[in-house]
Amino acid sequence: MNAAHKHKANILKALGHPIRFCIVEGLLAGEQNVGTMTHCTSVPQPTVSQHLNVLKAAGILKAERIGNEMHYSVCSAEARKIAAALK
Amino acid sequence: MNAAHKHKANILKALGHPIRFCIVEGLLAGEQNVGTMTHCTSVPQPTVSQHLNVLKAAGILKAERIGNEMHYSVCSAEARKIAAALK
DNA sequence: ATAGTATATATTAAAATATGAATATACGGA
DNA sequence: TCCGTATATTCATATTTTAATATATACTAT
């Protein structure tokens, strides 16, 4: 059980929550702002924000502010591969 | 966020722990008995057993007793794909 | 029957995570 | 500057996970 294991497990753990996995799939399909995710996941906006933070902390997402909105995107190749593997 | 999401998230969650991920990688590489896993992960045997239970409950492993030993193997195609994606 | 090896279960304490409500901040436009 | 919209943060609490220890079970060989 080395550092590589821990890194991979961290990514899996971050993705291992229904709301977060849903968010990532949505982002890979093109959605980008928090309002849309809130609808799509049907949880309150603050909850979405918290899960976005978890994903960001795990290095899976990056955020960019564009005017009033935040645009999130998946920046982890590993996360992309995992999502693809589960298609 | 539908049932499919929840199912996939469950598998990811089960794999999202360093010890469990290590166990699954080891099994995919050929190891099969608990003693070996205990060495490889360097945690006490009861801890390994508990993690094996989590993986079994998630439908990732199946167990078969052969004489004195238990032989575990990965029975989830999804888990195999995820591990392959992280190679 | 007994001893030894392999694995599982139970219990519990500590740590991590999730949930929900309330509030705060950032930005664009009137 | 003030308002409305979009998003983030804070905080308290509930729940879940994790790890450790001790103990129990299953099987083999003697």
Side-chain angles (χ1 to χ4, degrees), chain A residues 13-81:
Chain A
K13 184 178 177 186
L15 292 174
H17 185 288
I19 293 177
R20 292 198 292 266
F21 188 67
C22 182
I23 287 175
V24 170
E25 278 212 334
L27 286 176
L28 289 174
E31 297 161 18
Q32 282 180 319
N33 73 70
V34 180
T36 314
M37 300 177 206
T38 302
H39 276 121
C40 154
T41 58
S42 65
V43 298
Q45 174 270 319
T47 304
V48 171
S49 264
Q50 288 177 118
H51 286 297
L52 285 170
N53 262 338
V54 173
L55 289 166
K56 205 163 51 178
I60 291 175
L61 303 185
K62 68 184 206 308
E64 182 194 7
R65 177 176 287 278
I66 296 190
N68 211 4
E69 299 181 353
M70 298 293 289
H71 280 221
Y72 284 92
S73 56
V74 178
C75 64
S76 154
E78 282 129 326
R80 284 174 189 277
K81 286 184 202 161

Side-chain angles (χ1 to χ4, degrees), chain B residues 4 7 14 43 51 67 69 79:
Chain B
H7 175 243
V43 297
H51 285 297
E69 300 181 353

